Amino acid sequence: MALATLIGMGTVGAFAAEGLEDVMKRRGLSQKDLLAAAKTYTPTGGRDEFLVFSSSGQAGQIMVYGIPSMRILKYVSVFTPEPWQGFGFDEESKKILRQGDIDGREINWGDTHHPALSETDGKPDGEYLFINDKANPRVGVVSLHDFETQQIVVNPILQSEHGGTFVTPNTEYVIEAAQYPGVLGRGYAPLSEFNEKFRGAVTYWKFDRSKGRIDPAKSFSLELPPYTQDLTDAGKGPSDGWSFTNSFCAERYVGGIEQGKPPFEAGCSANDADYLHVINWKKAAELVAAGKSVKINGHDVVPIKTAVEEGILFLIAEPKSPHGADVTPDGKYIIVGGKLDTNVSVYSWEKIKAAIDAKQYASKDPYGIPILDMKQVLHTQVQLGLGPLHTQFDSKPCIAYTSLYVDSQVAKYDYCAGKVLDKISVHYNIGHLMAMEGDSAAPGGHYLVALNKLAIDRFNPVGPLHPQNHQLIDISGDKMELLYDMPVPLGEPHYAASIAADKVKPLIRYKYGTDSRTGQASPDAVRPGSEKIVREPGKVTVYGTAIRSHFTPEIVEANEGDIVTFHITNAERAEDETHGFTVSTYSGNLSLEPGKTASVTFKADRPGAFSFYCTEFCSALHLEMEGYLMVKPKGLVEQTSTKATDSTVYTKADFDKQYTTNLETQKVIDTVVKYIMSTNYKDFPTVVALVEDAVDQLNFAKDAKGKTDEAAKKEDWQQGTLWANQWWQYQVKAADIGLRVKTYLEEHGAKTVAK
Amino acid sequence: MALATLIGMGTVGAFAAEGLEDVMKRRGLSQKDLLAAAKTYTPTGGRDEFLVFSSSGQAGQIMVYGIPSMRILKYVSVFTPEPWQGFGFDEESKKILRQGDIDGREINWGDTHHPALSETDGKPDGEYLFINDKANPRVGVVSLHDFETQQIVVNPILQSEHGGTFVTPNTEYVIEAAQYPGVLGRGYAPLSEFNEKFRGAVTYWKFDRSKGRIDPAKSFSLELPPYTQDLTDAGKGPSDGWSFTNSFCAERYVGGIEQGKPPFEAGCSANDADYLHVINWKKAAELVAAGKSVKINGHDVVPIKTAVEEGILFLIAEPKSPHGADVTPDGKYIIVGGKLDTNVSVYSWEKIKAAIDAKQYASKDPYGIPILDMKQVLHTQVQLGLGPLHTQFDSKPCIAYTSLYVDSQVAKYDYCAGKVLDKISVHYNIGHLMAMEGDSAAPGGHYLVALNKLAIDRFNPVGPLHPQNHQLIDISGDKMELLYDMPVPLGEPHYAASIAADKVKPLIRYKYGTDSRTGQASPDAVRPGSEKIVREPGKVTVYGTAIRSHFTPEIVEANEGDIVTFHITNAERAEDETHGFTVSTYSGNLSLEPGKTASVTFKADRPGAFSFYCTEFCSALHLEMEGYLMVKPKGLVEQTSTKATDSTVYTKADFDKQYTTNLETQKVIDTVVKYIMSTNYKDFPTVVALVEDAVDQLNFAKDAKGKTDEAAKKEDWQQGTLWANQWWQYQVKAADIGLRVKTYLEEHGAKTVAK
């Protein structure tokens, strides 16, 4: 390629106005910026290499974005009602939300922290996603088949958690650890009995992959001392069967600034070391199966005493106030950073296992748990800087990255040799970081994201509440290079999980009549032609359909005080023909993707004429996709017929005019069809699907033409004209699709094929 | 600049691994793509030229993004509770949400459609933003001083709306028009009386800029016929004082597919023309002032009859099923596109005014409203293509852009000369479009965004519910050029409003103790040192503060069944030191930006030890920013003291060790301070603010040192060690800020200054 061509100088017509060098000068871009732009910019229709599933913190959602484009593709609501998705606004999803209520309290938000992708052989498999709620100890399960939340489980014993979710290498269990100690079962004890009555715990939720659901009955917890447990990681390879949970505030300080004592922050960070908990979860599961657990709130809990007796629970000192216990891809080491220490500590699993097997303990904690000798089980410590927090791994052997909160840097180092290789400054305080599949058995390399907290001065100001900043870093070379700053517009992400994009293969559409929250056929689905309104005393139930651009039925009558239910099925086959549904002022909203059935129920508590309409811009006649719920006042005696007559009267001339238009329109459609058929359109799956959709529309048009002709035979120009117009509407929909196909074929270099 | 340097070839170390040409080849980028990348890529710390405020449709929020980077900066919740912002999760914002309840029904979502920025002289001024709710006829008011929703007003007479919001040139009124006709006041009438009893309307909400609130008492509506009113625009310049509202379904069809009739979409699009409503709102306001309105639900409504008699309401035919009535920047023309017509119609205000003044009417509608002769008042029609929908204007005179829904294109044309200049294909069906300040009296040119609906195939698949696609188009040259595809991750935007970024000047922080939802001082704010817990029978009220990294108080006792309230004030001065607050399982969440006071109230309905914590990652000791709400069981007789004692005991050796550490830490801090002072740091406002914050932290450290020394004097090594550690925590916070300053100064080329 000639350089002059490459940089767009010279005579290329399209950009004659402003060449590359002009643009760089105007926008103040350096050569380095241009390279970063080329590494991240994704032209229309382009695909990202990796998908990121990020927590959105207190927003209670999952944020999905692509790498390297750093474009946010979707927010998936997990714990917080969100009307665009219908989550919490249709009856089906309300059942999921209400699974998450705690002790009779309705909870409509979550403080999401650590998402985990389901794994097979220690590698993300793109099937499911789990995420915790720190504020209300719960775990949500999202299916990556449709990116919808399908389960929320409430932790039966914790009052606070943080260390979730993490999965075992084949997603046998989803791990959730306590944070602030409480009385297990959410009971009361005075703080004077903190040491005796307060406890931590780690819960192992059994995942049933065949059902895509957690099975609470087969899940269990391990009682832990009232150290403030933090993050966990599951062992893999040689350490498979074990899990590692760090902690802070091993001082067991209970605050009291209001009494003139120093605050928690002082008392919880006074000692040099906290404890890493080393747990044999495989054996714990066996103990539960053998009946060696106790029940708290009906949930199996292995007591500390049993765990100690059975040799499945150990402690190791770790530098003060750690966050993140990260197992290396080969399962041989566990890396822990202490936020108030300058080192990361690399523990050797081989040495830990040897010490455990030899019962070589340095001491015991106040609860009788054996403490291994830190020095004996350390592989090495690497001095990185101020505030080491969380570690991720590269595809290259022995290479790790650790975020440095106070230094606002990422350190790259060789954890085998204990040697720092590179550092890069980020903007500003970095919490977690995430490399591509960087916590898995086979990291993907290439990129790393710094999840920065305090985004002061990075973006245009948008008020006192700032966005966070996810910075994309290129880790493919020897030196880390900053590529992109992505503001986070909603929520405060803590951790994120990534996966090669081609592993995620979501549904195109639902099987006709699916309740997406159960994944099963909805009993309330109907096919077009079978719609019905069922009236019972005090109750009106509508079984309806939605298709471009009308609902069936359109007019629904109810009496004041009736319980009204609409079950609507989207009868579309086209990939993105989502419809919505709401009844004005009655507060439900359905998001109806093709094939989905969803429902809304409410009490028609006031008389009135309430319109319903499609809440998703679906077609040219979208605004006309409407109907009325007529709520008749109690005791109404209608003075006149409730049957409406047409306000506009059509004549034979109107009919003939529309009929002629339709025949002409058909000619245009025939031309487009002819063009499409002349190409190799069958080589483009997207186009094949669109053509199917267009054929559907033309069949609908044919049907409407039949009704038109029938009316004309009876010289009913009123119905004839209206049906002729409906026939034309279907033609417009077909033409719309045809034009999209044409654009697609032209832009994708379709070829003319011989007949 | 040498070309070889420009494209990063050769020996530049940092990118030796992969040069620009390599990257382009690997990623399949064309020269055109590279230019688009250079035009949009924004390096770290860079600013956008324009801010966009986009509706998020059924998500009930406002999405704010930057142009040209197309990075989403913030979602601002308007009608839907959102916990990250605390909206609907603190008591202050619940009051705003509950203003939006309709007829006694609690409504927790909205279907936002058309945002409007406050204007001065017809140009956006960056002060306020308004947006409508189509599902529940309401208008929300967002302050751009802090990007928070501060008011929701319920339309007193409509059951459905769509055509809002639009402002008059000096934001005298915010306009909201009906959509599906109803009985004004949300009453009942049978559909058989549709023509007689159903009505449309347009509401003019009076805006009081001094208060930043709509004044419902000074607002009024104009009754309109039961045509389905759609979008509006206010006149300006010569047409100031008038507004223009289009409509569809002038057929007044009432559906009935369930009775075998054709659906609404057929009956509502059968005629060739609908009606543009031409309204003299200034005179309407005078009529209301003169008592010529009637009251419906206590709201002033000017009846059709009065409007006709007074000569303030006229109709003009417009091509079928229009969407968008757009007044040109000079106020001389109104452009309307009919979605089922191939033309846009350019009406001349001069001709309309002349016809009105001369009382030259073509006919009257069934409600007696004069209909102007379309041909007489048309300036021209321009044939653009299939599905013309919405129009925006360029900074160049006579240049307009109209979206073509069915053709999936944007057309650029000269509306003065009636000539098409250019067309560009977008992906795919485009609804609204938005040029920079493109609906104002002085459009900004440069860019245009196509708000596309059906994003099939543009992005990595994320399940059956697809993102929408906002495509950025460069309009600075003769030919439109596609620059960027932005997926919309949440909601379905309809319309968006843009403004030059430098016009928006939000607050840095709140005045100490502000209730952000009223903008006034909160009566519940306290200063550090004045925190208190007030106990009344059945009630515990906490007046607390939050500052890195502790709450005051930390331990709060209550009895089972008490109503507990926490009022928390963020005592930080640092720009981005937001804290959060929640009590585990009790479901409130506060977002506490610096200076803000917010509150949460709940019934402590179950006994237990419930932790509370900071929900925003604020500092290295963020996880330690915790406390306990101790809810004592009813009738509890405590067996032991509730006063906790420290679990860890500290000796003089511990004390000495921490004291020595602190003195050493101070030396490091002194070095950083010395470096900062040696530079021209005062030239950087961001740094000056950070230095202020660091000085605050060092003063806190000094205070903690005082307490340390005092304890040491008493040989109280327990309190001494803990306070020494707190002193050290403040040092860490100061060091953290110092390091951020250092990075900033280094990256911004700070200079050494002579002493």
Side-chain angles (χ1 to χ4, degrees):
Chain A
M1 202 190 294
L3 292 184
T5 312
L6 183 66
I7 60 162
M9 319 258 312
T11 57
V12 184
F15 295 101
E18 200 181 25
L20 185 59
E21 204 164 342
D22 300 328
V23 173
M24 289 176 68
K25 199 169 165 190
R26 170 170 63 83
R27 303 197 65 234
L29 298 180
S30 69
Q31 168 198 346
K32 190 172 162 176
D33 294 333
L34 186 65
L35 192 66
K39 285 184 175 181
T40 55
Y41 177 80
T42 302
T44 185
R47 293 294 185 274
D48 277 302
E49 297 166 50
F50 294 92
L51 288 182
V52 178
F53 296 87
S54 171
S55 92
S56 69
Q58 326 85 324
Q61 308 186 333
I62 293 274
M63 174 175 72
V64 186
Y65 61 89
I67 283 183
S69 82
M70 301 302 273
R71 296 178 300 183
I72 309 175
L73 295 163
K74 201 174 208 172
Y75 273 90
V76 179
S77 200
V78 183
F79 298 113
T80 306
E82 198 293 295
W84 169 57
Q85 300 155 77
F87 190 63
F89 294 87
D90 64 44
E91 304 309 318
E92 288 76 3
S93 62
K94 276 182 196 165
K95 287 179 193 160
I96 307 295
L97 263 175
R98 296 286 70 82
Q99 288 174 356
D101 290 351
I102 297 185
D103 299 340
R105 279 176 225 121
E106 193 174 293
I107 298 180
N108 286 311
W109 78 294
D111 185 10
T112 60
H113 274 240
H114 309 99
L117 290 157
S118 60
E119 292 185 4
T120 301
D121 294 332
K123 289 166 278 187
D125 54 39
E127 283 218 294
Y128 294 95
L129 183 85
F130 311 96
I131 193 155
N132 72 319
D133 173 5
K134 174 168 172 169
N136 316 289
R138 304 181 296 175
V139 168
V141 181
V142 176
S143 167
L144 297 185
H145 301 294
D146 63 358
F147 284 59
E148 285 201 351
T149 300
Q150 301 194 323
Q151 187 182 25
I152 298 174
V153 289
V154 174
N155 194 296
I157 60 170
L158 301 181
Q159 69 84 21
S160 166
E161 61 97 283
H162 179 191
T165 54
F166 303 91
V167 297
T168 56
N170 284 294
T171 325
E172 297 93 339
Y173 290 95
V174 181
I175 306 175
E176 180 190 26
Q179 181 117 81
Y180 308 115
V183 178
L184 295 187
R186 289 189 282 278
Y188 174 81
L191 285 173
S192 56
E193 298 178 41
F194 187 85
N195 291 336
E196 297 76 28
K197 301 262 179 87
F198 281 58
R199 287 293 177 268
V202 58
T203 300
Y204 297 86
W205 290 105
K206 181 74 190 165
F207 184 63
D208 181 341
R209 193 186 283 261
S210 68
K211 292 187 179 149
R213 301 288 187 281
I214 281 171
D215 185 347
K218 293 187 180 157
S219 305
F220 67 93
S221 296
L222 188 63
E223 181 194 20
L224 294 177
Y227 312 139
T228 302
Q229 280 82 32
D230 199 52
L231 301 185
T232 298
D233 202 2
K236 55 191 98 165
S239 53
D240 187 18
W242 293 75
S243 64
F244 309 93
T245 302
N246 62 17
S247 65
F248 61 89
C249 205
E251 296 88 347
R252 293 175 289 158
Y253 190 66
V254 293
I257 195 167
E258 71 290 343
Q259 306 158 35
K261 292 172 66 180
F264 273 99
E265 60 169 317
C268 284
S269 60
N271 291 0
D272 285 341
D274 291 289
Y275 291 124
L276 179 68
H277 303 66
V278 178
I279 297 165
N280 185 335
W281 61 259
K282 266 201 184 147
K283 206 160 162 198
E286 289 166 18
L287 293 178
V288 173
K292 295 197 173 172
S293 55
V294 299
K295 295 270 185 188
I296 301 178
N297 276 349
H299 173 77
D300 285 303
V301 180
V302 179
I304 294 176
K305 194 166 172 286
T306 308
V308 170
E309 284 167 6
E310 299 282 346
I312 64 163
L313 173 62
F314 306 89
L315 300 173
I316 314 175
E318 53 182 4
K320 71 197 293 181
S321 301
H323 195 61
D326 300 291
V327 177
T328 57
D330 59 11
K332 289 184 180 171
Y333 302 101
I334 303 103
I335 301 184
V336 176
K339 290 200 306 284
L340 299 178
D341 192 72
T342 57
N343 296 293
V344 285
S345 300
V346 184
Y347 297 90
S348 157
W349 171 247
E350 195 180 343
K351 292 180 181 177
I352 292 171
K353 191 66 180 24
I356 289 173
D357 289 345
K359 300 195 177 178
Q360 289 178 325
Y361 311 136
S363 60
K364 288 192 173 188
D365 86 335
Y367 301 88
I369 305 170
I371 304 175
L372 307 186
D373 180 355
M374 183 182 179
K375 280 184 195 137
Q376 190 185 331
V377 299
L378 262 185
H379 166 67
T380 187
Q381 285 193 315
V382 194
Q383 186 152 34
L384 299 182
L386 298 176
L389 195 146
H390 178 225
T391 299
Q392 290 270 283
F393 302 97
D394 202 333
S395 53
K396 297 162 197 155
C398 292
I399 303 299
Y401 302 86
T402 294
S403 51
L404 303 176
Y405 182 86
V406 178
D407 271 339
S408 295
Q409 290 187 317
V410 172
K412 172 181 179 177
Y413 57 101
D414 181 326
Y415 58 83
C416 299
K419 199 180 141 194
V420 176
L421 301 173
D422 189 25
K423 283 192 190 184
I424 187 169
S425 288
V426 294
H427 308 86
Y428 291 91
N429 300 70
I430 175 173
H432 284 265
L433 80 179
M434 175 202 55
M436 301 304 96
E437 302 191 358
D439 54 6
S440 79
H446 290 100
Y447 305 102
L448 181 145
V449 176
L451 283 71
N452 304 336
K453 292 295 146 192
L454 306 166
I456 179 173
D457 90 12
R458 288 296 95 183
F459 308 110
N460 292 67
V462 288
L465 180 58
H466 292 249
Q468 310 274 320
N469 183 8
H470 282 200
Q471 288 190 304
L472 182 68
I473 294 168
D474 184 345
I475 57 168
S476 59
D478 290 339
K479 300 285 289 177
M480 292 181 277
E481 294 292 344
L482 182 61
L483 292 181
Y484 197 95
D485 279 33
M486 183 192 94
V488 175
L490 178 59
E492 183 220 340
H494 291 261
Y495 183 42
S498 58
I499 185 168
D502 57 13
K503 288 189 190 173
V504 180
K505 296 186 179 70
L507 291 174
I508 298 292
R509 69 184 69 78
Y510 291 105
K511 225 172 123 176
Y512 192 91
T514 298
D515 171 347
S516 64
R517 303 294 169 173
T518 63
Q520 308 293 313
S522 167
D524 304 316
V526 290
R527 292 265 171 193
S530 305
E531 298 92 346
K532 59 187 175 182
I533 302 174
V534 177
R535 290 171 205 288
E536 296 163 272
K539 210 170 152 184
V540 177
T541 309
V542 179
Y543 299 85
T545 60
I547 196 161
R548 270 163 290 175
S549 307
H550 54 269
F551 293 106
T552 306
E554 287 181 330
I555 308 297
V556 175
E557 295 192 340
N559 294 309
E560 184 183 347
D562 279 355
I563 301 297
V564 177
T565 298
F566 284 87
H567 303 294
I568 310 283
T569 301
N570 182 339
E572 303 278 358
R573 298 204 302 165
E575 181 170 349
D576 55 356
E577 271 297 341
T578 295
H579 294 292
F581 178 85
T582 192
V583 181
S584 289
T585 77
Y586 274 103
S587 213
N589 186 48
L590 312 182
S591 175
L592 296 159
E593 297 81 43
K596 196 197 252 187
T597 301
S599 313
V600 62
T601 295
F602 54 85
K603 186 175 179 180
D605 58 1
R606 280 176 63 110
F610 300 97
S611 49
F612 53 82
Y613 68 94
C614 175
T615 52
E616 185 90 17
F617 195 155
C618 58
S619 54
L621 272 286
H622 157 68
L623 289 176
E624 288 79 356
M625 192 162 171
E626 53 164 321
Y628 278 97
L629 172 68
M630 304 300 298
V631 183
K632 294 190 232 177
K634 264 185 190 145
L636 173 80
V637 181
E638 306 254 14
Q639 298 300 310
T640 56
S641 162
T642 60
K643 207 91 173 183
T645 50
D646 293 348
S647 303
T648 305
V649 175
Y650 301 99
T651 61
K652 182 164 188 307
D654 293 319
F655 175 84
D656 288 342
K657 190 177 158 209
Q658 188 63 52
Y659 208 98
T660 309
T661 300
N662 294 7
L663 296 180
E664 277 163 16
T665 303
Q666 192 56 46
K667 280 183 204 159
V668 177
I669 291 172
D670 291 343
T671 318
V672 176
V673 169
K674 201 176 158 190
Y675 161 76
I676 296 168
M677 295 301 145
S678 77
T679 68
N680 59 334
Y681 77 94
K682 287 185 180 164
D683 296 344
F684 304 93
T686 300
V687 169
V688 171
L690 285 168
V691 168
E692 263 179 33
D693 186 29
V695 170
D696 283 354
Q697 299 304 322
L698 289 175
N699 282 334
F700 296 146
K702 210 171 145 185
D703 181 57
K705 180 177 186 297
K707 287 178 176 160
T708 307
D709 291 338
E710 210 176 303
K713 218 183 274 175
K714 295 182 201 157
E715 299 196 357
D716 180 349
W717 309 122
Q718 187 70 15
Q719 290 294 300
T721 306
L722 289 167
W723 279 116
N725 198 57
Q726 181 62 24
W727 162 20
W728 187 67
Q729 292 308 338
Y730 285 123
Q731 290 182 316
V732 170
K733 296 179 221 297
D736 176 5
I737 302 160
L739 289 169
R740 284 168 68 180
V741 167
K742 198 161 164 276
T743 303
Y744 189 100
L745 291 174
E746 284 164 2
E747 293 196 352
H748 288 76
K751 289 172 203 139
T752 306
V753 292
K755 293 215 171 177
Chain B
M1 201 189 297
L3 291 183
T5 312
L6 182 67
I7 60 162
M9 319 254 317
T11 56
V12 184
F15 295 102
E18 201 181 26
L20 184 59
E21 202 165 344
D22 300 329
V23 173
M24 290 176 68
K25 200 170 164 188
R26 170 170 63 82
R27 302 196 66 234
L29 298 181
S30 69
Q31 169 199 342
K32 188 172 162 178
D33 294 334
L34 185 67
L35 192 66
K39 285 184 176 181
T40 56
Y41 177 79
T42 302
T44 185
R47 292 293 185 273
D48 278 301
E49 299 166 48
F50 294 92
L51 288 182
V52 179
F53 296 87
S54 171
S55 93
S56 70
Q58 325 86 325
Q61 308 187 333
I62 293 274
M63 174 175 71
V64 186
Y65 61 90
I67 283 182
S69 80
M70 301 302 274
R71 295 178 302 182
I72 309 175
L73 295 163
K74 201 174 209 174
Y75 273 90
V76 178
S77 201
V78 183
F79 298 112
T80 305
E82 199 293 295
W84 167 58
Q85 299 155 77
F87 190 63
F89 294 86
D90 65 42
E91 304 309 317
E92 288 77 4
S93 62
K94 276 183 198 167
K95 288 178 194 160
I96 307 294
L97 262 177
R98 296 287 69 83
Q99 289 174 355
D101 290 350
I102 297 185
D103 299 341
R105 279 175 225 122
E106 193 174 291
I107 298 181
N108 285 310
W109 78 293
D111 185 10
T112 60
H113 274 239
H114 309 98
L117 290 156
S118 61
E119 293 185 3
T120 301
D121 295 332
K123 288 165 277 186
D125 53 40
E127 283 219 293
Y128 295 94
L129 182 85
F130 311 96
I131 193 158
N132 72 320
D133 173 5
K134 173 168 173 171
N136 316 289
R138 304 182 296 176
V139 168
V141 181
V142 176
S143 167
L144 298 185
H145 301 294
D146 63 357
F147 285 60
E148 286 201 351
T149 301
Q150 302 194 324
Q151 187 182 26
I152 298 175
V153 289
V154 174
N155 194 296
I157 59 169
L158 301 182
Q159 67 86 21
S160 166
E161 61 97 284
H162 178 191
T165 55
F166 303 91
V167 297
T168 56
N170 283 295
T171 324
E172 298 93 340
Y173 289 96
V174 181
I175 307 175
E176 181 191 24
Q179 180 116 84
Y180 308 114
V183 179
L184 295 187
R186 289 188 282 277
Y188 173 83
L191 285 173
S192 56
E193 298 178 40
F194 188 84
N195 291 336
E196 297 75 29
K197 301 261 180 89
F198 282 58
R199 288 292 176 268
V202 59
T203 300
Y204 297 86
W205 289 105
K206 181 72 189 166
F207 184 63
D208 182 341
R209 193 186 285 260
S210 69
K211 294 189 179 147
R213 301 289 187 280
I214 282 171
D215 185 346
K218 292 186 181 158
S219 306
F220 67 91
S221 297
L222 187 64
E223 180 194 19
L224 294 178
Y227 311 138
T228 303
Q229 279 82 31
D230 200 52
L231 301 185
T232 298
D233 201 1
K236 56 191 96 165
S239 53
D240 188 17
W242 293 75
S243 64
F244 308 93
T245 302
N246 62 18
S247 65
F248 61 89
C249 205
E251 296 88 348
R252 292 175 289 157
Y253 189 68
V254 293
I257 193 169
E258 72 288 343
Q259 307 159 34
K261 290 171 69 180
F264 274 99
E265 59 170 318
C268 283
S269 60
N271 291 0
D272 285 340
D274 291 290
Y275 291 123
L276 179 68
H277 302 65
V278 178
I279 298 166
N280 187 336
W281 62 260
K282 267 202 183 145
K283 207 161 163 198
E286 289 166 18
L287 293 178
V288 173
K292 296 199 173 171
S293 55
V294 299
K295 294 270 185 188
I296 302 179
N297 277 348
H299 173 77
D300 284 304
V301 180
V302 179
I304 293 175
K305 195 165 169 286
T306 308
V308 170
E309 283 166 10
E310 299 282 344
I312 64 163
L313 173 61
F314 305 89
L315 301 173
I316 315 176
E318 52 184 4
K320 70 200 291 183
S321 300
H323 196 59
D326 301 290
V327 177
T328 57
D330 58 10
K332 290 186 181 170
Y333 303 100
I334 303 104
I335 301 185
V336 176
K339 289 200 305 286
L340 299 178
D341 192 73
T342 56
N343 296 293
V344 285
S345 300
V346 183
Y347 297 90
S348 157
W349 172 248
E350 196 181 340
K351 292 181 180 177
I352 292 171
K353 192 68 180 24
I356 289 173
D357 289 346
K359 302 195 176 179
Q360 290 179 327
Y361 311 137
S363 60
K364 288 192 173 190
D365 88 332
Y367 301 88
I369 305 170
I371 304 175
L372 308 186
D373 180 355
M374 182 181 178
K375 278 183 195 137
Q376 189 184 333
V377 299
L378 262 185
H379 167 67
T380 186
Q381 285 193 314
V382 194
Q383 184 152 35
L384 298 181
L386 299 176
L389 195 145
H390 178 225
T391 299
Q392 291 271 283
F393 302 97
D394 202 332
S395 53
K396 297 163 198 154
C398 293
I399 304 297
Y401 302 85
T402 294
S403 52
L404 303 175
Y405 181 86
V406 178
D407 270 340
S408 294
Q409 290 186 318
V410 172
K412 172 181 179 176
Y413 57 100
D414 181 326
Y415 59 83
C416 298
K419 198 179 142 194
V420 176
L421 301 173
D422 189 25
K423 283 192 190 184
I424 187 170
S425 289
V426 294
H427 308 87
Y428 291 92
N429 301 71
I430 175 175
H432 284 265
L433 81 178
M434 176 201 52
M436 300 307 94
E437 303 192 359
D439 54 7
S440 79
H446 290 100
Y447 305 103
L448 180 145
V449 176
L451 283 71
N452 304 334
K453 292 294 147 192
L454 306 165
I456 179 171
D457 90 14
R458 288 296 95 183
F459 308 110
N460 292 67
V462 288
L465 181 59
H466 293 249
Q468 309 274 319
N469 183 10
H470 282 201
Q471 289 190 303
L472 182 68
I473 295 168
D474 184 345
I475 58 169
S476 59
D478 290 338
K479 300 284 290 177
M480 293 181 278
E481 294 292 345
L482 182 63
L483 292 181
Y484 196 94
D485 278 35
M486 184 193 94
V488 175
L490 178 60
E492 183 220 341
H494 290 261
Y495 183 42
S498 58
I499 184 168
D502 58 12
K503 289 189 191 172
V504 180
K505 296 185 180 68
L507 292 174
I508 298 292
R509 69 184 68 78
Y510 291 105
K511 225 172 123 176
Y512 192 91
T514 298
D515 171 348
S516 64
R517 303 293 170 174
T518 63
Q520 307 294 314
S522 167
D524 304 316
V526 289
R527 292 263 171 195
S530 306
E531 298 92 345
K532 60 186 174 182
I533 302 174
V534 177
R535 289 169 207 287
E536 296 163 272
K539 210 168 152 186
V540 177
T541 308
V542 179
Y543 299 84
T545 60
I547 197 162
R548 270 163 290 175
S549 307
H550 53 270
F551 293 104
T552 306
E554 287 182 328
I555 308 296
V556 175
E557 295 192 340
N559 294 309
E560 183 182 347
D562 279 355
I563 301 297
V564 177
T565 298
F566 284 87
H567 303 292
I568 309 284
T569 300
N570 183 339
E572 304 279 357
R573 297 204 303 163
E575 180 170 349
D576 54 357
E577 272 297 339
T578 295
H579 294 291
F581 178 85
T582 192
V583 182
S584 289
T585 77
Y586 274 103
S587 214
N589 186 49
L590 312 183
S591 175
L592 296 159
E593 297 80 43
K596 194 197 252 187
T597 301
S599 313
V600 61
T601 295
F602 54 85
K603 186 176 181 181
D605 57 2
R606 282 175 62 112
F610 301 97
S611 49
F612 53 83
Y613 68 95
C614 174
T615 52
E616 185 91 17
F617 195 155
C618 58
S619 55
L621 272 286
H622 156 68
L623 289 175
E624 288 80 355
M625 192 163 172
E626 54 166 307
Y628 278 97
L629 171 68
M630 304 298 298
V631 184
K632 293 189 236 179
K634 262 185 191 143
L636 174 80
V637 181
E638 306 253 15
Q639 299 301 308
T640 55
S641 160
T642 59
K643 207 92 171 179
T645 51
D646 293 349
S647 304
T648 304
V649 176
Y650 302 99
T651 63
K652 182 164 189 306
D654 294 319
F655 175 83
D656 290 342
K657 189 176 159 209
Q658 187 64 51
Y659 208 97
T660 310
T661 300
N662 294 7
L663 296 180
E664 278 163 15
T665 303
Q666 193 56 45
K667 282 183 203 158
V668 178
I669 290 171
D670 291 344
T671 319
V672 176
V673 170
K674 201 175 157 190
Y675 162 76
I676 295 168
M677 296 301 145
S678 76
T679 69
N680 60 333
Y681 78 94
K682 286 184 180 167
D683 296 344
F684 304 93
T686 300
V687 169
V688 171
L690 285 167
V691 167
E692 265 179 32
D693 187 30
V695 170
D696 283 353
Q697 299 305 321
L698 289 174
N699 283 334
F700 296 148
K702 212 171 145 187
D703 181 59
K705 182 175 184 298
K707 287 178 177 158
T708 306
D709 291 338
E710 208 175 301
K713 219 182 276 176
K714 297 182 199 156
E715 301 196 358
D716 180 348
W717 308 122
Q718 187 70 17
Q719 290 294 298
T721 306
L722 289 168
W723 278 117
N725 199 59
Q726 181 63 24
W727 162 19
W728 187 66
Q729 292 308 338
Y730 285 123
Q731 290 183 314
V732 171
K733 296 180 224 294
D736 176 6
I737 302 160
L739 289 168
R740 282 167 69 179
V741 167
K742 197 161 165 277
T743 302
Y744 189 100
L745 291 174
E746 284 164 3
E747 293 195 352
H748 288 75
K751 289 171 204 139
T752 306
V753 291
K755 292 214 172 178

